[in-house]
Amino acid sequence: MNDIPVIDAHIHIDMYPAEEQEALLREAIDQGVEAVVAVSVDLDSSIRTRELALRYPGRVHPAYGFHPEQEPLSDGELEELLHWIRERHEAGEAFAIGEVGLPYYKRTEIEASAGGEFDESPYLAMLESFVQLAAELDRPIVLHAVYEDADKACRLLKKHGVRRAHFHWFKGSADTLKQMAEAGYYISVTPDVAYEEEIAEVVRRYPIEQIMVETDGPWPFEGPYEGRQTVPGMARESALGVARVKGLPVQETIRRLLSQTQSFYRI
Ligand SMILES: [Zn+2]
């Protein structure tokens, strides 16, 4: 079953303990992981991810950005990050923009607390800066935007004419999925497709042509993965889940997911 390689289209390699990262990647390669898309959560994380990408050419494809589920950047910090990303572009380096998006979990937690009000405007402004940059540099963008936040992200993508958008670990309504599919956007699926009916339903509804697989490691999973460290090789389990839910032949599905990820990221 390991003959057809997989790509883990979304993982935070730099969030594993530093001394484990090299072994993690070597083991992944041994397990038939062709490559990973290594996303970043802020400037320091982007710098670390770039170093990994330089050490593992063709295996670690970096994405640079700012994870939305944290305090927003000041204008100066945002400028610094955008400037650093532009420098990578001017140097002719390969990369995507991400992980960026909107703070669904942070926002809904604050809104659910007594008298909680959440000001989303700085996050929308940051996201728009990243979307604009993706359009300007013609780079794929990796989004953390679920449920109603995906509609807001779609509006920004359309406003700036970005087509290569990847909504990772997507969850959302049938209407949102339809809109995203029609716009040509991609989603990726984690191993929780094995035990979360909500995710299986997303896979059922979304066109197979616009699906990729991921692990979001080191995020830990439940169900059959309870107590197991999340590793890039588990993207194969995500692929098996997609094949099962779609009722498609396993080998053909793994091959298709691989080639779609290669074309989307141009890797
Ligand atoms: Zn992530």
Side-chain angles (χ1 to χ4, degrees):
M1 197 87 94
N2 282 1
D3 47 346
I4 303 164
V6 292
I7 292 178
D8 182 348
H10 186 106
I11 185 167
H12 299 259
I13 300 282
D14 77 305
M15 284 168 67
Y16 287 84
E19 67 281 7
E20 289 177 22
Q21 293 170 11
E22 303 257 347
L24 183 90
L25 287 167
R26 274 198 306 273
E27 203 174 290
I29 293 166
D30 286 348
Q31 289 173 351
V33 175
E34 163 104 359
V36 302
V37 177
V39 295
S40 311
V41 299
D42 59 19
L43 178 56
D44 282 348
S45 160
S46 298
I47 291 169
R48 290 196 301 270
T49 302
R50 177 172 177 267
E51 283 164 6
L52 273 166
L54 292 173
R55 281 212 301 282
Y56 286 86
R59 298 291 191 175
V60 173
H61 299 282
Y64 306 132
F66 182 78
H67 198 292
E69 300 281 355
Q70 51 188 332
E71 286 303 302
L73 293 173
S74 67
D75 289 350
E77 289 165 333
L78 178 61
E79 257 333 294
E80 194 187 0
L81 175 56
L82 296 173
H83 176 77
W84 184 87
I85 296 174
R86 274 208 181 82
E87 283 180 335
R88 310 278 70 79
H89 179 76
E90 279 152 22
E93 296 176 20
F95 64 89
I97 308 282
E99 169 169 9
V100 298
L102 292 168
Y104 178 83
Y105 299 102
K106 187 179 171 68
R107 174 174 64 78
T108 50
E109 192 183 318
I110 291 173
E111 285 172 350
S113 64
E117 270 181 46
F118 186 80
D119 180 14
E120 198 181 29
S121 56
Y123 293 95
L124 284 165
M126 273 198 306
L127 177 57
E128 184 154 17
S129 301
F130 288 116
V131 169
Q132 242 170 330
L133 187 67
E136 180 195 323
L137 308 183
D138 187 24
R139 302 283 176 161
I141 187 165
V142 189
L143 294 146
H144 168 104
V146 294
Y147 302 111
E148 65 271 19
D149 285 357
D151 301 319
K152 302 168 200 166
C154 285
R155 277 196 289 278
L156 291 174
L157 293 168
K158 286 176 183 165
K159 179 176 166 189
H160 295 282
V162 172
R163 291 193 53 86
R164 272 199 298 160
H166 168 190
F167 286 76
H168 104 92
W169 205 343
F170 188 73
K171 305 156 185 97
S173 71
D175 279 353
T176 305
L177 282 169
K178 188 165 177 283
Q179 190 201 155
M180 285 168 40
E182 284 169 4
Y185 304 150
Y186 281 61
I187 63 166
S188 57
V189 175
T190 71
D192 74 345
V193 64
Y195 60 91
E196 288 285 1
E197 175 47 32
E198 183 187 13
I199 300 296
E201 185 59 21
V202 165
V203 170
R204 245 172 249 128
R205 288 180 182 275
Y206 216 68
I208 182 71
E209 294 79 11
Q210 287 157 252
I211 294 180
M212 298 186 273
V213 287
E214 59 153 313
T215 63
D216 204 21
W219 183 270
F221 290 94
E222 297 163 27
Y225 311 106
E226 181 91 51
R228 258 172 78 183
Q229 186 193 35
T230 298
V231 295
M234 282 161 67
R236 187 175 300 278
E237 316 253 355
S238 311
L240 295 176
V242 170
R244 185 179 44 77
V245 170
K246 288 285 199 192
L248 293 170
V250 168
Q251 304 291 320
E252 186 191 309
T253 305
I254 296 177
R255 190 174 291 116
R256 179 195 277 250
L257 295 170
L258 171 71
S259 75
Q260 284 168 194
T261 309
Q262 288 166 330
S263 351
F264 178 88
Y265 279 101
R266 300 181 188 157
I267 54 180

